[in-house]
Amino acid sequence: MTAEFWIIQTFNGLSYGALLFLLASGLSLIFGVMRIVNLAHGSYFMLGGYVGLSVVWRTGSFTAALVAGAVAIALIGIGMERLFLRRLSGQTLGQVLMTIGFALMFQDLALLIWGGDPYTIPLPAALQGIVTAGALRFPTYRIFIIVVATLVGAALWIVLDRTRVGAMIRAAVDDREMAQGVGIHVPVVSLGVFALGAALAALGGVIGGGFLGVYPGADFEVLPYAFVVVIVGGLGSLPGAMVGSLLVGLLDNFGKALFPELSYFTLFAPMALILALRPTGLFGRA
Amino acid sequence: AVPPTAHAQGGPIKIGLLAPLTGAASALGKDMLNGTELYLDGIGFQAAGRKVELIVEDTEGNTATALTKARKLVEQDKVHVLTGGLLASTGYALHPLAEAQRIPTTYPVMSSDDLTQRKPAKWVVRTGWNSSQSMHVFGEWVAKTLKYKRIVTIGLDYAFGWESVGGFQRTFEDNGGQVIQKIWTPLNTNDFAPFVTQIKREADAVFAVFFGRAALQFVKQYETAGLKGRVPLLGNGTTTDESVLPQMGDEALGIMTALHYSAALDNPANQKFAKAFEAKAGKIPSYYAETCYTNARWIVEAVKAIGGRVEDREALLAALRRVELRDFPRGPVSIDRWGNPVQNIYVRRVDKVGGKLQNSVIATFPAVSQFWKYDPDEYLKQPLYTRDHPPCPHC
Amino acid sequence: MLELSDLHTYYGESHVLQGLTLSVRPGEIVTILGRNGMGKTTLMRSIIGFTPPRRGRVCFKGDDVTRWPPFRMVEHGMALVPQGRRVFASLTVRENLEVARQSRTGQWTLPRVLELFPRLGDRATNRANKLSGGEQQMLAIGRALMSDPDLLLMDEPTEGLAPLLVREVGRVIAGLKREGLSILLVEQNLPLALSVADRVHILSRGQIVHSSGPAELMANETVKARYLGVA
Amino acid sequence: MDQTRVMRASVVEEASPGPATGYALELRSVSKAFGGLRAVDDVALAVRAGERRALIGPNGAGKTTLFNVISGELPASSGTIMLFGRDVTRAAVHRRAALGLARTFQITNVFPSLTVLENCLLAVQALSPVKLAMHRPLGRYADLHAHARTTLEAVGLGGRAGAIVQHLSHGEQRQLEIALALAGRPRVLLLDEPTAGLSPAESQLMAGLIKRLDPAMTVLMIEHDMDIALEIVQHVTVLHYGRVIADGTREAVKANPLVREIYLGA
Amino acid sequence: MSSGLAAPAPTLDRKVVAGFAALTLAGVLAPALPAYPLTLLTQAAIVAVLAMSLDILLGYTGLPSLGHAAYFGIAAYTVAILATERQMGLAGCLVAALLLATATAALFGVLAIRATGTYFLMITLALGMVVWGLAFRWVSMTKGDNGIAGVPRPGLGLGWSLAEPLPFFYFALLAAALAWAAMGVLVRSPFGLGLKGIRESESRMRALGYNVWLHKYLAFVISGFFAGFAGVLWAYYNGFVGPADVQLVTSVETLLMAALGGPGTLAGSALGAVAIVFLKNFVSVYTKRWLLILGAVYIGVILWAPRGVLGAFTREPRGAR
Ligand SMILES: Nc1ncnc2c1ncn2[C@@H]1O[C@H](COP(=O)(O)OP(=O)(O)OP(=O)(O)O)[C@@H](O)[C@H]1O
Ligand SMILES: Nc1ncnc2c1ncn2[C@@H]1O[C@H](COP(=O)(O)OP(=O)(O)OP(=O)(O)O)[C@@H](O)[C@H]1O
Ligand SMILES: [Mg+2]
Ligand SMILES: [Mg+2]
């Protein structure tokens, strides 16, 4: 194993982890803040990719695709929260089931609208190149993903941890009724959180569509990854989601590179182990 | 155990088709269905003076569901012929059902070698292909014509990948080549970077086995990693099958593969078929479409041969095994003793013609059997190709 | 300030408030007494909007607010100290107070609340679920004050407080009254309840069964024995 | 209703009488720190069997924390806890309960979606091996039901046996809280503000109930209502900032100027 | 509400009566049914056992497991391997399969029990995925992706064969009824009440003197045992066992069944199982858009009855206290 191997594989893992962070941070937000186990989160990722794809086909603009994907899926999230999930507030299991129902419907709708063929989202020329450093070659696009994830992570951290809005969100989680009783517009807060979480997943979907592609089944393929990240890091903890996504990205990458025959275990066995030792994840609180 | 009765003679001839219409493989299921319907449409759903009825069931790409649906087709709909299926496991699972129910069954898609080699079923006829069939041809051709000496193989880590790589490696090495690295990618991979970056740079070429979205992702990431211009890419037929080719970009140009079909095949039957298929489905036919079209015709030819008396199952089965035609879109086909087609294998290269990618045929090998040039009995004494067989002495 | 007329409130099929009429005038403290399970908390929940009444009207500052969501009530000048404290467990003490702030210009500010309850100042960065029961009670009162209410609903604010603090809360309540706040107080501590109240109502099985001034009630042994069970 | 019968101490797991100490509950320099905060600081406490003792102190003094340490909910940071002469400092919560220790919670901790009767049955079967029986419906255990109902009658919830607990008012839930602790016929009972949230009438009932408990039962109670507390106990321990600042008969403690200043406030 | 001191007479509650009626009805109607509905009914009976076994954890103990396919699948694989390669009979297969499934649950329980809520969901998911990986990867034992086909139906030595749909249906129905009865007694037993207590408040249970860990662990293992029992039936029913039987989707579907019918009611779980089996297999016969319909039905049912179909007719929900 040369140094080159370790550097390149670490880079691969980091960039994959960065993509996972985009996906998982939204899940963690919805999950931690609203106690909703959103099994439709993978669908947001997939639908975001599809919307982005359609926009690129029409306009040729990758930026437009990012924006449109995020906005469109945020609207879907708003609709789901406003019209359906809100009625079940506090009923964890009912909400889980409902999001499964949505996930199934989204899966079928995507099939109906975009057909079952796999696609990749064409990238703008600026993101297509390769950055070389000596013998090492880093695809520009993967660097781009790392940059985006870092920016998103920083912005989220500032809002949630440093502002009154963040505290209001958490208050709404702790005691929804009483939060209203101190004047917090809980319905608006929930809606905002849900929209943001959905938009983040969609952003991940468009960006992921550039190198993982957009295809039916992507929804349920990425979902376990997102959950592993969030759980390993600890529910609703933003630092947890960051560490979790990096850990999972690296673990998955090195697992596949070094022990491909164990790849069905390299993700889940460590997760089971972590949870067995720390039943609330690395950063989670009971 | 239903004897033919006058009463049954009156009803339609029922064909039960299992296809994945929902789930990740639904695009393939759609092609299967369109291909089948296209042929039956062409004959006005009439054969040997009887109406033909097609009953389609969704397998979700899941073998347990496929089994349940197969039971439904056989037990409730009382179909005369059972056909379809996508996954190898579905093939193995349907074998005992077909044998127990004594129901004539055809496999247009499922390609696992042993279905017609070490574990054939009396009641099952394969109208498609098997995984290593075209790869035997391709391995020899690559060694002899391209004269590559060292090759890295990379493929999906399950039976289809093993059998395709195995077939290629066997004839490639029999003809003087060396496989210097075998990389297996788990089925749940969508980021191929960890694998692509490991490919040994001293290779003359890379041989890849993928299908569906994995093919798309792999070819794309092969380019992104900067390998495309430097190490030529070869593959099995599904890697550039028309089910994914139109969604690929220039990164696919130049990839060479082998299969028993190409949508660009230049024969009248295929020209007619491809045109009709495009009119019906709005896209060029994949091998899934062709094989199901051919499969439908195959069944109808057998029905005709027995004068429409499909209630006589033994006769129908015998007829299915006797079909031998020269004008399928894929070319002439006959069937061997184990129930597998003997057919042309085409070596193809991805070219851009009229702004669109296509699999241009650059070499044709006629009447290739699943045992290639090997003696069937000797061949069958060897174990099935797996992850570790044939071994890799040069890795 | 607050007018309730003929409130009927249900939990599912159980009819808890059965036609309740009552009013709180500006600057007045009205106390509700009653044994356990008589509907005092339900009354509070009906007013703030947690459990809107099925029939009847709630008027607040002249507006019919019967089916307003709770957060609008709060914006309109109502605040609740709920039974059982219900502080936000995962927020720090400071955040608990901050989230309840309605505007930056009000009279009640973080420093003022911490001055009122110095104990909270000591634990300002602790998470609220780590506070002792009494500390949580102080936090709940402070939190309600942070919204600068005109009307304060207090549901057993002294439950779990040490005698010293009970007296302290009594003083706070009296002080708030002096500032012109109106208060609807549910209380089990009879001496406290009577010492601050302008008027007293006794609730029994969802209905008001006795209304009077505190002194009269003190003197009325039959009512006390019958509805409060005190000799 | 024969309440004394119900409350007769009968402990499943007989503890060997401690070596010579004779105390039911004994704490030796027990401390509990949360980060930098010493919520319980070097507390020594010895309660004789059958004693009734109150634990008082300002809010946040560490009373509940001390209960949590005694019952095992929280591990002690240092010190030793003896139950009937047996060192239980490291024992799990349920082991201590098996030795006859029962408690109530300051913040009501019951089983909200079960009925009142089911709540009580859970407490009744807790210390008998029956709790692991899987082969017979609970309905067949008539003795458990009888005992559960008697306990409910005793705390004044007899008429509400079939109600679902989350439909009870706060005060009724407080009564149930006590019933759960009593149902297991404990030998040492820790009561965390048993009358908080009760109306004066219910408080009086509760006080009466506690007074009538089996005299052999050791009772340690946290109570802010001094009238009630002093009516029940002979002995008072005062906690302040985690430390014991006074310990003695009720009269002595009541007269203690420091206690008056920091706690009673008059 | 009787307020006497005596224990209530052990009356059969309505759900039990309804359940017996449904079983009897199914048994009586079976011979008149066409082959395919009978097949589905058989499948439903088997899956119902699986859903009920999950409900012991989900509904009664409050532990939502997402790895139930593991015990189900391990038992199914055991039967498939022993029956095809060793030609082992029913008794041997049953014992071996139950032992293995229970042992797996006993092992996984040690790892999983400390986690609660969503974390429990995820650790069981992870453990389930490990089993799935094994099914996929341990090719020499499991035949990998191809699965094990051709599992013969057991002979009972009673003269008639279970190969025909009708006898096998009765066999499955009887087995399911037995499992249901056993689980029914369990959840009504003192132990079962303990599980409900844990669902509501672990800290209170501990303070009362329960060894909460042990209680949960036993529930976990017992649940695994019954899931294994369903797996045995499944292997014989389907004649084929593959990785799909242990995959996440199977676990998710099981959870849906238990939850849709009403967690905390065994009969509800069974109902959920029957409903989903029929919904999936019938709707898909008539339309390709069945996923859309299935999703809409889930959403509709939950809107109408958030606590599940049977839950809607029983008690109040557990509050969010
Ligand atoms: N969520 C609920 N669902 C059904 N019934 C309820 C609910 N909450 C309270 N009740 C019932 O309503 C009645 C009144 O309850 P409420 O809480 O208003 O009493 P309270 O006077 O505040 O008593 P306390 O002094 O004990 O707090 C009680 O009988 C109670 O059992
Ligand atoms: N888990 C914890 N983590 C950190 N601090 C805690 C924790 N539990 C309690 N505390 C702190 O320890 C101190 C003692 O708390 P405790 O609950 O024992 O007080 P108390 O004497 O019972 O008061 P009250 O009479 O108000 O119930 C308080 O300052 C509280 O904030
Ligand atoms: Mg109240
Ligand atoms: Mg306390």
Side-chain angles (χ1 to χ4, degrees):
Chain A
M1 299 284 145
T2 60
E4 185 189 345
F5 171 88
W6 292 102
I7 294 172
I8 283 287
Q9 295 296 10
T10 305
F11 172 77
N12 286 341
L14 286 180
S15 50
Y16 191 57
L19 182 70
L20 289 180
F21 175 73
L22 288 179
L23 176 67
S25 56
L27 182 68
S28 179
L29 201 64
I30 292 177
F31 205 43
V33 167
M34 304 179 60
R35 292 291 181 265
I36 292 181
V37 182
N38 184 17
L39 295 187
H41 204 72
S43 314
Y44 295 163
F45 178 88
M46 178 185 72
L47 291 178
Y50 272 125
V51 171
L53 185 70
S54 293
V55 171
V56 169
W57 280 345
R58 295 274 147 70
T59 68
S61 159
F62 189 68
T63 319
L66 285 176
V67 173
V71 170
I73 307 312
L75 289 177
I76 291 183
I78 286 177
M80 264 177 73
E81 203 281 334
R82 186 65 246 262
L83 300 175
F84 296 94
L85 291 168
R86 181 169 300 174
R87 299 180 189 211
L88 299 182
S89 93
Q91 309 198 28
T92 317
L93 197 62
Q95 286 174 331
V96 174
L97 296 189
M98 183 163 273
T99 58
I100 293 183
F102 276 105
L104 295 183
M105 291 182 68
F106 289 148
Q107 186 183 7
D108 210 33
L109 282 174
L111 206 57
L112 195 66
I113 300 173
W114 286 280
D117 290 322
Y119 298 98
T120 47
I121 295 182
L123 301 178
L127 295 178
Q128 275 187 5
I130 290 182
V131 177
T132 36
L136 301 172
R137 303 157 67 86
F138 304 104
T140 315
Y141 193 60
R142 286 181 170 256
I143 298 176
F144 166 74
I145 299 177
I146 296 179
V147 171
V148 172
T150 312
L151 292 179
V152 167
L156 281 179
W157 182 71
I158 288 171
V159 169
L160 281 184
D161 223 65
R162 293 287 124 123
T163 66
R164 182 154 169 260
V165 174
M168 285 164 76
I169 293 174
R170 282 176 286 136
V173 177
D174 283 346
D175 188 335
R176 205 179 162 86
E177 187 177 79
M178 199 51 221
Q180 305 208 34
V182 300
I184 297 173
H185 288 240
V186 173
V188 177
V189 168
S190 315
L191 213 60
V193 164
F194 217 87
L196 180 61
L200 283 173
L203 202 64
V206 180
I207 292 179
F211 84 115
L212 301 183
V214 189
Y215 48 93
D219 44 358
F220 289 107
E221 205 172 276
V222 296
L223 193 63
Y225 276 86
F227 271 99
V228 172
V229 166
V230 171
I231 287 293
V232 165
L235 279 182
S237 153
L238 192 67
M242 288 179 194
V243 174
S245 46
L246 287 187
L247 203 68
V248 171
L250 289 171
L251 207 64
D252 191 55
N253 194 82
F254 278 104
K256 281 182 171 148
L258 295 173
F259 319 102
E261 59 285 352
L262 295 182
S263 88
Y264 300 102
F265 310 102
T266 43
L267 196 54
F268 289 99
M271 163 163 154
L273 212 63
I274 287 176
L275 282 183
L277 297 176
R278 279 194 62 99
T280 53
L282 293 177
F283 287 73
R285 285 181 284 232
Chain B
V2 186
T5 65
H7 167 74
Q9 285 276 2
I13 297 168
K14 291 184 188 171
I15 303 174
L17 174 68
L18 296 166
L21 298 174
T22 53
S26 59
L28 309 182
K30 193 98 204 284
D31 276 2
M32 292 170 67
L33 180 58
N34 277 331
T36 307
E37 282 181 349
L38 181 64
Y39 179 75
L40 294 178
D41 262 339
I43 58 165
F45 282 90
Q46 292 283 336
R50 288 177 71 174
K51 225 176 114 31
V52 176
E53 187 184 341
L54 179 69
I55 305 173
V56 186
E57 285 296 343
D58 180 14
T59 63
E60 307 165 35
N62 174 333
T63 295
T65 312
L67 257 183
T68 303
K69 294 296 175 63
R71 289 198 188 105
K72 182 231 168 211
L73 289 171
V74 174
E75 291 171 357
Q76 176 168 314
D77 300 323
K78 308 246 183 295
V79 295
H80 300 104
V81 183
L82 184 63
T83 187
L86 176 76
L87 303 173
S89 56
T90 306
Y92 289 111
L94 286 182
H95 265 176
L97 182 86
E99 302 286 77
Q101 300 268 0
R102 304 175 61 251
I103 181 92
T105 303
T106 66
Y107 290 178
V109 175
M110 296 178 295
S111 65
S112 198
D113 282 3
D114 264 0
L115 289 171
T116 54
Q117 287 182 0
R118 291 162 196 87
K119 295 174 184 161
K122 175 187 168 200
W123 287 88
V124 175
V125 178
R126 176 137 65 183
T127 58
W129 61 312
N130 69 11
S131 316
S132 59
Q133 191 171 13
S134 48
M135 291 301 97
H136 287 145
V137 176
F138 195 50
E140 185 172 316
W141 183 81
V142 168
K144 283 188 173 163
T145 312
L146 297 180
K147 305 220 164 22
Y148 290 147
K149 289 280 169 280
R150 286 166 315 214
I151 278 189
V152 173
T153 68
I154 179 167
L156 291 169
D157 194 5
Y158 79 124
F160 178 66
W162 302 334
E163 292 172 13
S164 303
V165 169
F168 177 87
Q169 185 187 354
R170 179 158 180 190
T171 56
F172 181 65
E173 294 195 333
D174 279 359
N175 288 281
Q178 295 183 352
V179 168
I180 55 169
Q181 185 183 19
K182 284 164 102 170
I183 300 175
W184 299 113
T185 66
L187 285 185
N188 56 359
T189 305
N190 48 27
D191 181 3
F192 288 92
F195 304 103
V196 169
T197 41
Q198 288 184 58
I199 290 173
K200 287 188 183 159
R201 297 297 158 89
E202 65 265 30
D204 295 331
V206 170
F207 171 78
V209 179
F210 295 101
F211 75 99
R213 57 102 181 148
L216 194 66
Q217 289 163 338
F218 174 78
V219 172
K220 178 93 196 162
Q221 292 178 24
Y222 192 78
E223 184 199 35
T224 310
L227 280 168
K228 178 168 161 43
R230 308 197 295 168
V231 189
L233 190 55
L234 312 172
N236 77 323
T238 55
T239 304
T240 63
D241 181 63
E242 287 79 0
S243 52
V244 282
L245 195 60
Q247 292 93 264
M248 289 182 177
D250 287 351
E251 71 267 17
L253 281 176
I255 301 176
M256 285 188 262
T257 58
L259 192 67
H260 58 281
Y261 179 69
S262 159
L265 261 182
D266 195 12
N267 69 51
N270 185 49
Q271 302 272 316
K272 178 168 154 262
F273 160 70
K275 209 172 199 168
F277 187 85
E278 274 199 69
K280 177 177 169 71
K283 56 199 232 183
I284 55 171
S286 62
Y287 105 79
Y288 302 93
E290 188 278 341
T291 199
C292 284
Y293 176 88
T294 294
N295 174 66
R297 175 155 178 223
W298 193 308
I299 293 169
V300 167
E301 295 294 346
V303 168
K304 283 197 234 164
I306 56 169
R309 286 175 31 256
V310 290
E311 284 73 17
D312 186 346
R313 298 176 173 202
E314 294 279 1
L316 179 56
L317 178 66
L320 281 170
R321 284 181 173 267
R322 264 198 317 272
V323 169
E324 187 167 344
L325 282 176
R326 306 211 56 78
D327 59 344
F328 285 129
R330 67 171 84 147
V333 176
S334 63
I335 194 150
D336 71 14
R337 192 145 70 78
W338 293 264
N340 197 60
V342 176
Q343 54 196 349
N344 290 356
I345 299 297
Y346 306 99
V347 176
R348 306 121 25 116
R349 185 186 57 231
V350 177
D351 288 334
K352 205 165 199 171
V353 176
K356 287 191 179 143
L357 297 180
Q358 70 169 38
N359 284 309
S360 306
V361 174
I362 52 178
T364 302
F365 290 78
V368 175
S369 119
Q370 58 177 334
F371 304 109
W372 185 221
K373 296 171 181 169
Y374 305 101
D375 173 61
D377 295 325
E378 286 301 312
Y379 186 98
L380 289 177
K381 281 190 197 130
Q382 304 263 338
L384 178 64
Y385 298 126
T386 60
R387 208 167 194 277
D388 312 304
H389 181 84
C392 189
H394 310 292
C395 287
Chain C
M1 177 66 42
L2 180 73
E3 303 236 14
L4 310 178
S5 45
D6 195 31
L7 289 194
H8 289 265
T9 303
Y10 292 73
Y11 291 111
E13 282 317 297
S14 86
H15 191 175
V16 177
L17 293 191
Q18 310 185 348
L20 194 138
T21 302
L22 139 121
S23 66
V24 182
R25 289 190 281 270
E28 190 185 36
I29 298 184
V30 174
T31 299
I32 310 283
L33 299 173
R35 297 180 61 157
N36 293 123
M38 292 307 166
K40 304 180 296 295
T41 298
T42 308
L43 172 62
M44 298 301 214
R45 294 178 57 89
S46 298
I47 298 173
I48 191 98
F50 287 170
T51 315
R54 212 177 272 184
R55 269 183 290 142
R57 246 158 54 101
V58 181
C59 285
F60 178 46
K61 294 198 204 164
D63 297 309
D64 184 342
V65 297
T66 314
R67 270 183 190 73
W68 283 20
F71 52 87
R72 274 188 76 193
M73 298 282 199
V74 176
E75 284 168 358
H76 208 54
M78 203 185 276
L80 171 70
V81 180
Q83 183 163 34
R85 306 162 190 124
R86 297 178 71 173
V87 291
F88 300 120
S90 69
L91 271 57
T92 63
V93 168
R94 182 190 301 274
E95 284 172 332
N96 260 283
L97 296 170
E98 287 280 344
V99 292
R101 193 185 64 219
Q102 286 292 306
S103 71
R104 280 176 194 283
T105 55
Q107 324 182 355
W108 284 98
T109 57
L110 192 66
R112 196 169 159 211
V113 169
L114 296 185
E115 192 186 324
L116 186 65
F117 300 114
R119 182 89 206 171
L120 291 184
D122 299 345
R123 329 248 338 128
T125 55
N126 269 63
R127 283 170 14 112
N129 62 344
K130 299 290 155 74
L131 297 184
S132 83
E135 290 164 340
Q136 291 187 10
Q137 190 66 58
M138 300 176 217
L139 183 55
I141 298 176
R143 182 178 63 183
L145 292 176
M146 284 297 282
S147 69
D148 271 312
D150 300 313
L151 173 69
L152 195 54
L153 308 175
M154 303 179 98
D155 197 349
E156 304 197 23
T158 64
E159 177 182 338
L161 292 190
L164 187 70
L165 268 171
V166 173
R167 231 159 290 160
E168 184 59 35
V169 169
R171 272 194 289 276
V172 170
I173 293 177
L176 294 174
K177 176 184 155 83
R178 271 196 302 280
E179 293 190 12
L181 246 73
S182 313
I183 297 176
L184 183 62
L185 173 69
V186 169
E187 188 48 74
Q188 299 288 13
N189 186 320
L190 219 45
L192 174 81
L194 297 181
S195 70
V196 296
D198 294 308
R199 287 187 294 129
V200 182
H201 298 289
I202 294 181
L203 205 61
S204 182
R205 298 185 190 283
Q207 284 169 328
I208 290 181
V209 291
H210 172 89
S211 307
S212 67
E216 282 168 80
L217 177 63
M218 271 311 263
N220 192 335
E221 295 297 333
T222 13
V223 169
K224 280 204 290 185
R226 176 139 174 232
Y227 294 116
L228 302 179
V230 279
Chain D
M1 187 51 44
D2 178 5
Q3 284 163 3
T4 48
R5 186 179 66 87
V6 183
M7 303 310 160
R8 191 168 355 100
S10 84
V11 171
V12 173
E13 201 168 320
E14 285 297 337
S16 59
T21 65
Y23 292 117
L25 176 67
E26 192 184 356
L27 309 188
R28 295 185 194 145
S29 72
V30 168
S31 296
K32 174 70 200 176
F34 298 112
L37 176 84
R38 296 185 77 81
V40 172
D41 194 1
D42 196 19
V43 167
L45 194 68
V47 189
R48 285 185 194 290
E51 190 178 326
R52 304 288 143 103
R53 184 188 291 241
L55 190 60
I56 64 171
N59 293 115
K63 306 179 295 292
T64 300
T65 305
L66 187 63
F67 268 25
N68 283 338
V69 170
I70 296 174
S71 72
E73 212 91 347
L74 294 171
S77 304
S78 62
T80 312
I81 302 163
M82 315 276 283
L83 202 56
F84 299 108
R86 204 185 261 203
D87 185 346
V88 295
T89 317
R90 302 260 160 275
V93 180
H94 69 271
R95 305 289 312 156
R96 303 186 200 198
L99 288 172
L101 180 72
R103 70 168 295 183
T104 68
F105 289 81
Q106 180 174 10
I107 296 170
T108 311
N109 188 353
V110 291
F111 307 106
S113 76
L114 303 185
T115 64
V116 171
L117 181 64
E118 282 171 327
N119 267 262
C120 204
L121 281 168
L122 272 171
V124 167
Q125 71 179 29
L127 294 184
S128 100
V130 166
K131 69 184 167 193
L132 288 179
M134 311 176 184
H135 59 286
R136 233 155 54 112
L138 185 59
R140 301 269 174 81
Y141 295 87
D143 48 336
L144 298 184
H145 279 80
H147 181 50
R149 284 182 184 277
T150 337
T151 310
L152 289 179
E153 297 287 348
V155 298
L157 282 174
R160 306 227 54 178
I164 306 236
V165 168
Q166 60 192 309
H167 297 173
L168 298 185
S169 81
H170 181 68
E172 291 167 322
Q173 295 193 13
R174 296 297 305 161
Q175 290 170 299
L176 178 62
E177 179 72 45
I178 308 229
L180 292 190
L182 290 180
R185 297 168 174 162
R187 297 207 293 169
V188 175
L189 179 62
L190 309 179
L191 298 170
D192 198 345
E193 304 198 26
T195 70
L198 294 191
S199 73
E202 269 83 12
S203 294
Q204 278 308 321
L205 284 178
M206 191 57 69
L209 171 71
I210 298 170
K211 271 196 285 192
R212 281 196 311 276
L213 290 177
D214 181 345
M217 194 188 292
T218 313
V219 179
L220 184 59
M221 67 189 283
I222 299 174
E223 183 56 68
H224 285 307
D225 187 329
M226 281 303 102
D227 298 337
I228 300 241
L230 299 184
E231 184 185 328
I232 296 173
V233 305
Q234 310 88 33
H235 229 87
V236 180
T237 299
V238 187
L239 227 52
H240 188 42
Y241 286 117
R243 295 186 149 266
V244 177
I245 56 156
D247 194 0
T249 62
R250 54 186 167 187
E251 290 76 18
V253 167
K254 215 174 165 180
N256 184 321
L258 183 56
V259 174
R260 295 187 77 85
E261 185 199 326
I262 60 162
Y263 185 68
L264 299 169
Chain E
M1 182 52 47
S2 74
S3 60
L5 283 186
T11 51
L12 284 176
D13 73 56
R14 290 214 310 279
K15 273 175 292 179
V16 174
V17 175
F20 269 119
L23 285 177
T24 318
L25 192 70
V28 172
L29 284 185
L33 285 177
Y36 184 58
L38 191 65
T39 306
L40 291 188
L41 216 52
T42 314
Q43 187 174 337
I46 296 168
V47 180
V49 176
L50 180 62
M52 287 191 282
S53 78
L54 176 61
D55 198 32
I56 292 182
L57 280 185
L58 172 75
Y60 290 89
T61 322
L63 292 173
S65 162
L66 251 190
H68 241 52
Y71 325 113
F72 176 77
I74 282 178
Y77 264 111
T78 309
V79 170
I81 292 168
L82 291 180
T84 54
E85 289 183 0
R86 297 274 151 81
Q87 284 80 41
M88 202 179 261
L90 175 61
C93 285
L94 183 73
V95 171
L98 289 181
L99 268 179
L100 257 175
T102 313
T104 312
L107 176 67
F108 285 4
V110 174
L111 298 172
I113 282 300
R114 285 208 309 145
T116 53
T118 315
Y119 291 100
F120 182 81
L121 200 80
M122 294 318 286
I123 192 171
T124 47
L125 174 144
L127 293 169
M129 291 298 264
V130 169
V131 171
W132 174 79
L134 214 59
F136 216 92
R137 187 37 80 210
W138 192 5
V139 180
S140 58
M141 189 57 116
T142 64
K143 304 232 166 62
D145 193 38
N146 286 341
I148 301 172
V151 182
R153 294 263 168 93
L156 293 182
L158 296 177
W160 35 268
S161 146
L162 292 180
E164 292 301 312
L166 192 61
F168 189 78
F169 168 72
Y170 282 121
F171 172 71
L173 191 70
L174 185 71
L178 283 178
W180 177 56
M183 287 187 265
V185 170
L186 178 88
V187 299
R188 283 169 182 73
S189 69
F191 178 77
L193 183 63
L195 296 183
K196 294 185 211 167
I198 288 170
R199 176 184 78 192
E200 308 272 313
S201 170
E202 288 194 16
S203 61
R204 175 49 109 174
M205 287 295 279
R206 252 180 248 119
L208 286 179
Y210 287 86
N211 184 343
V212 167
W213 187 92
L214 180 68
H215 238 76
K216 291 210 282 194
Y217 184 69
L218 288 176
F220 194 94
V221 175
I222 290 169
S223 173
F225 170 88
F226 282 108
F229 186 67
V232 171
L233 297 176
W234 180 257
Y236 284 125
Y237 158 75
N238 215 18
F240 169 81
V241 179
D245 293 327
V246 286
Q247 80 189 10
L248 179 58
V249 176
T250 308
S251 292
V252 171
E253 220 164 65
T254 311
L255 194 67
L256 270 175
M257 292 168 180
L260 210 59
T265 57
L266 288 179
S269 305
L271 196 70
V274 176
I276 289 184
V277 165
F278 273 82
L279 209 59
K280 262 181 64 172
N281 290 292
F282 267 141
V283 177
S284 65
V285 169
Y286 297 105
T287 168
K288 233 169 42 178
R289 295 271 80 88
W290 63 273
L291 263 183
L292 204 64
I293 294 173
L294 200 64
V297 166
Y298 287 165
I299 294 171
V301 168
I302 292 150
L303 274 185
W304 170 65
R307 284 174 296 119
V309 177
L310 268 200
F313 297 108
T314 53
R315 294 174 183 172
E316 282 288 291
R318 294 188 262 152
R321 285 165 174 276

